[in-house]
Amino acid sequence: MKNKYFPDEEITMNDLYFICYMIERVARHIKQKNKYVVNAIGKDELYHLLSCASTLHCENPEKVEADWIRDYGLVEGSFDITNVDSELATIIPTSLDMGEVYQRLIADTLSTKEDFTEGILRVYNDEICDVIDNYNCSAFYEPSYVIARAYQNGGF
């Protein structure tokens, strides 16, 4: 996928990872699901963010988070992904961990007709995210090929 502002440059897997990390980070901060953040930003702005990711990752993540919340009019919700049963979930993955999970899932299931923006919208709007984001189960810990196969098969 070509960078929107520098057509000679490719958007990299690291750029995708950074955007997935920030989606997770913002969603946790405003207590919304990732799907809400992705849909509120929209395809065109996701392309912009992916194209700027190599610069944005040099910024303070708290600043980037605040900018996204302000720029995209994101509102506070009531979904707390970290509210888990402590007997079932002893470790809650970080935003970085989940950014990697989603980056791999998008990359592993990307068709030749899709770009990263379409992959982001497709994956984050799939029902499998409810399972992956349920930290009371271990779906997010599965190897990336298992998660990709579950996605392609319609569930775990």
Side-chain angles (χ1 to χ4, degrees):
M1 178 175 185
K2 297 289 183 189
N3 187 301
K4 180 177 185 175
Y5 305 106
F6 301 100
D8 293 340
E9 293 182 17
E10 290 286 329
I11 293 173
T12 68
M13 294 299 280
N14 283 338
D15 298 332
L16 176 60
Y17 171 56
F18 175 76
I19 297 303
C20 291
Y21 156 65
M22 287 308 303
I23 290 166
E24 183 74 31
R25 185 181 172 98
V26 169
R28 287 181 185 205
H29 182 88
I30 62 172
K31 295 190 176 0
Q32 291 277 10
K33 292 190 176 197
N34 294 331
K35 175 181 179 176
Y36 166 79
V37 174
V38 166
N39 290 331
I41 293 172
K43 184 178 179 180
D44 291 339
E45 285 299 310
L46 284 169
Y47 185 29
H48 161 74
L49 292 170
L50 282 161
S51 294
C52 296
S54 62
T55 302
L56 287 175
H57 87 271
C58 297
E59 295 276 350
N60 180 329
E62 290 177 356
K63 179 188 179 311
V64 176
E65 181 181 295
D67 289 347
W68 284 23
I69 292 167
R70 181 195 66 236
D71 294 348
Y72 302 113
L74 303 175
V75 297
E76 190 85 16
S78 60
F79 176 71
D80 185 359
I81 198 165
T82 63
N83 185 14
V84 298
D85 183 336
S86 60
E87 290 183 24
L88 296 174
T90 56
I91 299 171
I92 296 173
T94 67
S95 297
L96 285 168
D97 294 333
M98 293 310 295
E100 187 172 10
V101 168
Y102 279 106
Q103 177 261 340
R104 288 179 180 166
L105 179 56
I106 292 163
D108 289 348
T109 61
L110 200 65
S111 79
T112 57
K113 297 177 183 175
E114 282 182 313
D115 60 27
F116 287 151
T117 57
E118 294 161 335
I120 289 170
L121 288 164
R122 176 181 44 78
V123 165
Y124 281 109
N125 280 288
D126 194 276
E127 293 177 5
I128 200 165
C129 294
D130 291 332
V131 177
I132 294 171
D133 291 339
N134 177 358
Y135 300 155
N136 289 316
C137 72
S138 63
F140 63 91
Y141 274 127
E142 295 294 335
S144 58
Y145 73 89
V146 172
I147 296 173
R149 186 177 318 132
Y151 172 85
Q152 292 166 336
N153 292 336
F156 285 90

